[in-house]
Structure formats: structure tokens, C-alpha cells
């Protein structure tokens, strides 16, 4: 079969499905503020046709695939499912003009994102260039062999905190203890703690996240040094993934980041495992996604679940309703709002500075009379840059995801590879699922410690050593 033909056939089939969906939606929402919601999947389908000849290039690398799929889920799948729950959503929108403007904004964003994806060049790095050039995260700042001692010390300290701080243990649940996991998923324990306990829980949470990533990288690399058998790598990945599922916090989606992280790392170390890993882990992740929605929603039946699925996709992939909820947020003192957003990204901010601020995400929830709803990135970008430049932040996230994907290929050692992988996963998913404020918080609490640690990595963890074994 001609290379790339399968992808094109799939896209054409999906496009036909979008046309059928448009007919259904145009009838079901005719008496609601979502009367023209059918335009969202229809125009998305037209954009797919416009970039049809570029589809193979747009879907070549993991970051691009994730972005492409998430936009499809938000623009095409979610509107169809919203029909089933009769548009009963967390945010109540009463203005048809706000919904119509949001459709325009989302399509404008989608077009610019697809345009950026279509212009991304094929990642070609010669072995000569790969050996010569050290990128920022790969560059060491300390020559002495301190990495192993520091990693062991941090891991031991994390274990001690886990044992002596009960509030930290209560912040996590296990996939194998559903009763406790449901409580964890619906509560953020830190909010009710006194200052000293909150500090310990915050430190423990940051360290635990760091260790879950770096210790997994260390273990997989050490196993690969002793065996290049793909079956050994697959078994190690499955065991590590099962252990990871014993530490699921209130941010349930992090569990999926970890699973994808283990998937990409295993394929990097054992390339022959690629086909099985994608098939098996893909199935597990899909089942787990459905499972998480059951846990979070507490559904009693499949029918109850199917009726509410659209609302949950709308919440986790904030789309038409959330974008409409950003349209009329007042632009009062933008510099103060920007300061509040940046301040929110700083760990231990309340303990160190003691300032209480209202950031843009807080303003979004207050304006819509809700709590815990996610302000979409396109809405945040529209608030700061206006209509014409609204796609700026989504486009930058696309470029960031492609940058991280390229650096995954050129990474010199296992820990820089892991760091670039997490960058890629966050950039490519948060473009739809989160916003710049949440990405900034993730950067300071997770990615920045990883970057700092990469500066201390010993030579023994460089990929060139695998050739010798």
C-alpha cells in the first residue's frame, strides 16, 4: 500500500462523518443558544480538507499527532456528545452571540494551529551534528560525579516525608483501592491544611513527582545496559507503570502523562518494542480514560455515563462553553492581571510573600459563577491580545511541542530525553486541556527541577554508552 495512503483514507472517512454530524447538530440545537454549533465541526472538516495534502507531514511525530487528535476531539466529537446531554453544562451561557463568536475564535485558532503544523519541517539530524552539538539541557555545569548521590538522597528524603507526613499519603490514592481513589480525586487536601503541613505536603508532592520520573528513567536505563531484549524492556515498563498507578493524586491526568512518558522512554531504549508498546499502552490508556471519568463522576450505569460524557469532555477539553465564558471578562489593569498570573506560578508563594492575588483564571471562574472550571488557552490569549492576535499562545505551544519533539531525538542522555518528553507532552496537551497559568505552574514545580538535575548528569547515562553493551 502506498505510504501515507491509510492516513488519507482515514481522514476522508472522518470528513464524511463530520458532514453527517453537521446535519444532526443543525436540527438538535435549533432552539438553543447553540443553534450554530454545527458550524464548529463543519468548518473543522473544511480545514482538514484544506490541509489534506499536508496531512502526512502534520501527523508524522507524536507531538503533532496529540495536537491533531485533541483538536478533533474538542471541535468534532464533543459537540456531537453535548447533544445527548441536552447542553446541560457546568457553565451556563445565555447569549447566542457569545457562542457564535466563540465558534469563530475556535475555528480561527484551529486554522492557525494547522497552518503551523503544516509548515513544520521533517526532523532530520545527522549523526555528525548530533555528536557535535550540545543543547541547553544536555550541557553539564558540574564535572564531578554527584548525580547518583543527589538522586539517592532526594529519593530517600521523599520516602521519609511519605512515612512521616500523613497528609502527603492522603493526597494520593491507588488504582487498586477505588474507594480511597474517589475521595482523592474529588478533594485537594492541601487547601485545608495549616501552613507547616501545607509546606511539607507541597515539598513532598514536588519531590514525589520528580522521583517518579527520574527514578523510572534510572531503572529503565540500568535495565537496558544489562539487556537489549525488547521483552525485558516491555516487562520492566509494565511493572513500573503498575507501581506508578499506586500514586494517583487529585490531578488524575498526570497518571496519563506518566504512562505516555514510560511508553516513549521504553521505545527509545528498546526500539523493537515500538509496535507492541503502542498497541498495548494505547489500549490501556484508552480504557483508563473512560475509567477515570467513571471515578470522577460516580456514574451508576453506562447510559448515565454516555449522557454525561459530552459534559466531561467539555470540562477536560474546555471548548465552546468555556471559550464563551471568557468573551466578556473585563480588561481592567492588564499589567496587574499579568503580575497575578506570574505570581501564581511560583511555588510556596503564600508562605514566602504572603500575597493574595486574583489571577485571570480566578476572574474567569468568578465571572461565570463556577469553581474549578478551566479557562481555555485561546480564551486567555484572546483576553490579552485581542481578536486578531488571539491564536498567538496556541501557536507558540505548537512550536514548543515541535521543539521538544526534535530535542527528544537529539537528546544526549536518558534524563534529558525524559525532560524533553515531559515538555513535549505538556506543550502538546495543554494547548487544549489547560492554559498558560497552569503550564507555568507545571514548569516551576516539575520541569524546572528536572532541568536543574540534568545539569548534573554523569557520563555513564549518555546514550553513546548503550552502543558499547
Amino acid at each position: 500500500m502506498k505510504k501515507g495512503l491509510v492516513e488519507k483514507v482515514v481522514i476522508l472517512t472522518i470528513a464524511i462523518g463530520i458532514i453527517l454530524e453537521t446535519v444532526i447538530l443543525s436540527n438538535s440545537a435549533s432552539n438553543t443558544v447553540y443553534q450554530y454549533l454545527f458550524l464548529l465541526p463543519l468548518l473543522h472538516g473544511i480545514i482538514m480538507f484544506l490541509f489534506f495534502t499536508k496531512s502526512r507531514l502534520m501527523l508524522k511525530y507524536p507531538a503533532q499527532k496529540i495536537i491533531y487528535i485533541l483538536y478533533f476531539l474538542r471541535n468534532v466529537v464533543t459537540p456531537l456528545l453535548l447533544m445527548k446531554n441536552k447542553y446541560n453544562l457546568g457553565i451556563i451561557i445565555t447569549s447566542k452571540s457569545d457562542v457564535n463568536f466563540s465558534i469563530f475564535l475556535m475555528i480561527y485558532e484551529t486554522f492557525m494551529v494547522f497552518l503551523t503544523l503544516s509548515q513544520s519541517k521533517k526532523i532530520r539530524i545527522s549523526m555528525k551534528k548530533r555528536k557535535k552539538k550540545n543543547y541547553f539541557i544536555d550541557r553539564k555545569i558540574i564535572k564531578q560525579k554527584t548525580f547518583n548521590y543527589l538522586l539517592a538522597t532526594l529519593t530517600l528524603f521523599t520516602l521519609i516525608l511519605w512515612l512521616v507526613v500523613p497528609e502527603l499519603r492522603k493526597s494520593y490514592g491507588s488504582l487498586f483501592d477505588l474507594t480511597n481513589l474517589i475521595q482523592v480525586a474529588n478533594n485537594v487536601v492541601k487547601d485545608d491544611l495549616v501552613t507547616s503541613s501545607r509546606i511539607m505536603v507541597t515539598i513532598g508532592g514536588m519531590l514525589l513527582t520528580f522521583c517518579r520520573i527520574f527514578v523510572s528513567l534510572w531503572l529503565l536505563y540500568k535495565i537496558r545496559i544489562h539487556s537489549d531484549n525488547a521483552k525485558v524492556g516491555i516487562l520492566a515498563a509494565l511493572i513500573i507503570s503498575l507501581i506508578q498507578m499506586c500514586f494517583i493524586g487529585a490531578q488524575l491526568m498526570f497518571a496519563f502523562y506518566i504512562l505516555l512518558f514510560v511508553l516513549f522512554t521504553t521505545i527509545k531504549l528498546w526500539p523493537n518494542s515500538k509496535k507492541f508498546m503502542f498497541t498495548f499502552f494505547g489500549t490501556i490508556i484508552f480504557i483508563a480514560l473512560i475509567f477515570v471519568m467513571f471515578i470522577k463522576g460516580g456514574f451508576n450505569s453506562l447510559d448515565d455515563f454516555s449522557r454525561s460524557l459530552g459534559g466531561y469532555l467539555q470540562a477536560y477539553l474546555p471548548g465552546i462553553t468555556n471559550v464563551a465564558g471568557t468573551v466578556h471578562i473585563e480588561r481592567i489593569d492588564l499589567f496587574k492581571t499579568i503580575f497575578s498570573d506570574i505570581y501564581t506560578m511560583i511555588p510556596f508563594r503564600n508562605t514566602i510573600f504572603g500575597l493574595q492575588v486574583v489571577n485571570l483564571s480566578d476572574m474567569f471562574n468568578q465571572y461565570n459563577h463556577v469553581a474549578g472550571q478551566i479557562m481555555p488557552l485561546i480564551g486567555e490569549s484572546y483576553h490579552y491580545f485581542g481578536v486578531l492576535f488571539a491564536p498567538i499562545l496556541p501557536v507558540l505551544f505548537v512550536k514548543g511541542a515541535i521543539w521538544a519533539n526534535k530535542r527528544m531525538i537529539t537528546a544526549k542522555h536518558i534524563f534529558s530525553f525524559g525532560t524533553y518528553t515531559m515538555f513535549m507532552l505538556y506543550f502538546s496537551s495543554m494547548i487544549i486541556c489547560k492554559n498558560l497559568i497552569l503550564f507555568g505552574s507545571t514548569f516551576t514545580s516539575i520541569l524546572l527541577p528536572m532541568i536543574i538535575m540534568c545539569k548534573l548528569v554523569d557520563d555513564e547515562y549518555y546514550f553513546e554508552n548503550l552502543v558499547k553493551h
Side-chain angles (χ1 to χ4, degrees):
M1 187 175 286
K2 190 178 178 181
K3 202 171 182 181
L5 181 61
V6 174
E7 291 90 340
K8 291 183 178 181
V9 170
V10 170
I11 290 173
L12 282 173
T13 305
I14 289 171
I16 294 170
I18 289 173
I19 294 172
L20 295 175
E21 177 186 354
T22 300
V23 176
I24 296 170
L25 278 176
S26 62
N27 294 324
S28 70
S30 57
N31 296 320
T32 71
V33 295
Y34 299 98
Q35 180 179 358
Y36 297 106
L37 184 60
F38 72 91
L39 290 174
L40 184 59
L42 176 62
L43 294 173
H44 183 96
I46 292 173
I47 291 172
M48 288 174 66
F49 272 118
L50 288 175
F51 292 97
F52 181 72
T53 57
K54 297 280 188 179
S55 57
R56 187 161 164 261
L57 178 62
M58 292 168 67
L59 295 170
K60 189 165 185 62
Y61 299 102
Q64 296 165 298
K65 286 186 175 75
I66 292 171
I67 292 169
Y68 196 93
I69 291 170
L70 287 178
Y71 271 91
F72 179 79
L73 289 174
R74 188 196 70 175
N75 293 350
V76 178
V77 177
T78 302
L80 181 62
L81 294 174
L82 290 179
M83 175 187 67
K84 191 169 178 61
N85 77 341
K86 299 179 181 179
Y87 307 98
N88 183 21
L89 303 169
I91 297 176
I92 307 300
I93 303 297
T94 58
S95 171
K96 187 181 293 186
S97 62
D98 288 353
V99 173
N100 295 342
F101 178 74
S102 300
I103 293 170
F104 160 75
L105 207 59
M106 292 166 70
I107 288 300
Y108 180 29
E109 172 205 15
T110 303
F111 178 82
M112 295 306 296
V113 164
F114 275 46
L115 182 63
T116 307
L117 286 173
S118 68
Q119 292 178 339
S120 58
K121 297 178 181 179
K122 186 175 181 180
I123 302 175
R124 288 193 183 98
I125 299 98
S126 66
M127 289 303 296
K128 187 176 180 181
K129 184 178 178 182
R130 190 181 300 188
K131 288 180 180 179
K132 280 186 175 182
K133 194 160 187 177
N134 277 328
Y135 294 100
F136 176 71
I137 296 179
D138 286 299
R139 295 176 196 150
K140 292 197 296 184
I141 58 174
I142 295 179
K143 299 297 182 182
Q144 289 81 7
K145 293 188 176 183
T146 58
F147 179 83
N148 286 335
Y149 299 108
L150 185 55
L151 182 59
T153 302
L154 290 173
T155 305
L156 180 61
F157 184 62
T158 304
L159 180 60
I160 293 171
L161 284 177
W162 180 265
L163 294 174
V164 302
V165 182
E167 294 86 357
L168 178 60
R169 296 195 298 274
K170 291 177 183 177
S171 300
Y172 294 88
S174 170
L175 186 64
F176 311 105
D177 184 359
L178 294 184
T179 303
N180 183 49
L181 183 57
I182 292 171
Q183 293 176 347
V184 169
N186 290 284
N187 290 284
V188 181
V189 178
K190 288 191 292 183
D191 291 347
D192 302 322
L193 301 178
V194 296
T195 302
S196 58
S197 297
R198 186 168 61 247
I199 293 172
M200 297 304 290
V201 170
T202 303
I203 293 174
M206 289 175 63
L207 284 173
L208 183 58
T209 300
F210 170 82
C211 289
R212 289 173 69 177
I213 296 170
F214 264 54
V215 172
S216 296
L217 289 168
W218 184 87
L219 284 170
L220 287 170
Y221 184 83
K222 289 294 184 180
I223 293 170
R224 172 59 182 84
I225 284 289
H226 291 91
S227 175
D228 61 356
N229 190 316
K231 293 180 180 178
V232 173
I234 291 170
L235 180 60
L238 292 177
I239 294 172
I240 289 173
S241 298
L242 284 174
I243 295 172
Q244 295 281 10
M245 293 304 102
C246 294
F247 302 93
I248 301 177
Q251 299 296 327
L252 294 177
M253 293 306 295
F254 185 75
F256 297 102
Y257 287 125
I258 285 290
L259 288 176
L260 288 169
F261 161 79
V262 172
L263 166 67
F264 288 120
T265 304
T266 306
I267 292 172
K268 177 70 174 179
L269 294 173
W270 290 275
N272 292 336
S273 68
K274 182 176 181 178
K275 186 175 180 180
F276 176 85
M277 289 295 289
F278 269 121
T279 303
F280 183 80
F281 268 65
T283 304
I284 293 297
I285 290 171
F286 176 76
I287 294 172
L289 278 169
I290 304 299
F291 185 67
V292 162
M293 292 179 187
F294 258 98
I295 291 174
K296 197 77 174 176
F299 301 112
N300 298 316
S301 66
L302 283 174
D303 185 58
D304 186 24
F305 171 72
S306 64
R307 283 199 306 270
S308 303
L309 183 57
Y312 269 85
L313 281 178
Q314 166 66 34
Y316 283 103
L317 307 174
I320 187 67
T321 304
N322 292 55
V323 175
T326 67
V327 173
H328 294 299
I329 298 176
E330 294 185 54
R331 293 181 175 89
I332 301 174
D333 199 347
L334 284 180
F335 288 106
K336 182 179 179 181
T337 307
I338 292 171
F339 169 80
S340 299
D341 289 353
I342 296 173
Y343 176 77
T344 306
M345 302 173 189
I346 303 172
F348 313 107
R349 55 190 175 276
N350 293 330
T351 303
I352 299 171
F353 303 107
L355 295 177
Q356 297 295 326
V357 298
V358 177
N359 62 30
L360 186 56
S361 184
D362 296 327
M363 294 166 62
F364 168 76
N365 279 277
Q366 289 172 7
Y367 177 81
N368 293 288
H369 308 291
V370 293
Q373 288 286 333
I374 299 170
M375 183 178 191
L377 183 66
I378 182 60
E380 185 180 18
S381 192
Y382 163 72
H383 182 84
Y384 283 125
F385 302 108
V387 178
L388 183 61
F389 299 104
I392 281 181
L393 289 181
V395 166
L396 289 176
F397 268 59
V398 173
K399 288 186 174 295
I402 294 172
W403 163 82
N405 212 150
K406 183 175 181 179
R407 294 293 175 265
M408 285 169 63
I409 297 174
T410 61
K412 292 294 185 68
H413 55 76
I414 187 62
F415 296 102
S416 63
F417 172 83
T419 302
Y420 286 127
T421 300
M422 294 305 291
F423 262 106
M424 184 275 289
L425 291 174
Y426 282 123
F427 270 127
S428 57
S429 62
M430 285 189 168
I431 189 174
I432 288 289
C433 301
K434 304 291 183 182
N435 52 49
L436 185 60
I437 299 171
L438 293 172
F439 177 81
S441 300
T442 300
F443 176 80
T444 55
S445 62
I446 298 177
L447 297 173
L448 185 58
M450 292 176 67
I451 292 172
I452 294 171
M453 196 67 174
C454 281
K455 297 298 185 179
L456 310 173
V457 172
D458 297 338
D459 292 342
E460 64 178 291
Y461 297 106
Y462 278 62
F463 287 124
E464 61 188 26
N465 294 317
L466 295 179
V467 181
K468 303 172 184 177
H469 289 78

